[in-house]
């Protein structure tokens, strides 16, 4: 299937430190079926580049057009958008140094540990509150 990029809007303030970042929005044409799709996103997801379908402007934030982001069509759209992105001066992310990768891994481990710890803290808090309630009830009975 032939895919033509009619327009691309390169985002210049890409944050390469993030795991997911939108690099550009593009309008693609599918001449075989006489269709134009506006607002397709080119994104970096981890180490991969992917093409995302456009979103509608309604409050549900649903896709106007849907496709499998790991399917053949999505890869073809991604390749077309990547080509246009590079021709318009878009930058690829710099390679991560070992220290940066270690920092990312440490942050992920800390986030997972914090999530697990918050569940333990919630249980601990409820135990303390239950103990205080029982002591309060016993004091009321003793006083009267």
């Amino acid at each position: 299937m032939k895919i033509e990029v009619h327009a691309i809007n390169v985002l210049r303030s890409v944050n390469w430190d993030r795991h997911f970042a939108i690099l550009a929005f593009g309008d693609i044409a599918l001449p075989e079926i006489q269709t134009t799709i506006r607002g397709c996103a080119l994104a970096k997801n981890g180490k991969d580049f992917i093409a995302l379908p456009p979103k509608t402007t309604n409050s549900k934030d649903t896709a106007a057009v849907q496709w499998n982001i790991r399917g053949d069509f999505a890869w073809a759209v991604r390749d077309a958008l990547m080509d246009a992105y590079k021709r318009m001066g878009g930058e690829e992310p710099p390679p991560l140094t070992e220290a940066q990768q270690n920092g990312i891994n440490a942050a992920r481990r800390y986030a997972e540990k914090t999530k697990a710890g918050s569940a333990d803290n919630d249980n601990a808090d409820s135990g303390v509150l239950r103990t205080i309630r029982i002591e309060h009830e016993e004091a009321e009975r003793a006083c009267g």
Side-chain angles (χ1 to χ4, degrees), residues 24-46:
F25 290 98
D27 299 342
I28 62 168
L30 309 170
E32 294 171 6
I33 58 173
Q34 300 176 1
T35 302
T36 299
I37 303 174
R38 300 186 189 284
C40 301
L42 175 65
K44 179 187 75 87
N45 185 19

Side-chain angles (χ1 to χ4, degrees), residues 20-137:
F20 178 84
I22 300 286
L23 308 176
F25 290 98
D27 299 342
I28 62 168
L30 309 170
E32 294 171 6
I33 58 173
Q34 300 176 1
T35 302
T36 299
I37 303 174
R38 300 186 189 284
C40 301
L42 175 65
K44 179 187 75 87
N45 185 19
K47 295 180 181 178
D48 295 333
F49 291 93
I50 58 174
L52 300 172
K55 299 286 184 186
T56 59
T57 57
N58 67 10
S59 61
K60 293 181 183 178
D61 196 32
T62 58
V65 176
Q66 295 180 346
W67 63 62
N68 176 1
I69 64 169
R70 301 284 182 210
D72 294 338
F73 178 75
W75 295 129
V77 172
R78 187 233 18 216
D79 292 342
L81 289 174
M82 276 298 290
D83 182 50
Y85 177 74
K86 289 177 184 175
R87 283 188 283 129
M88 292 299 293
E91 302 173 10
E92 291 202 30
L96 291 176
T97 64
E98 187 175 339
Q100 288 172 323
Q101 188 61 48
N102 290 341
I104 291 168
N105 293 340
R108 286 187 186 144
R109 284 193 303 273
Y110 178 75
E112 290 170 5
K113 182 179 174 183
T114 304
K115 251 192 261 182
S118 68
D120 294 341
N121 289 341
D122 291 345
N123 292 337
D125 289 346
S126 64
V128 169
L129 294 174
R130 188 172 47 249
T131 302
I132 291 171
R133 188 186 74 234
I134 290 170
E135 289 175 355
H136 183 68
E137 289 172 356

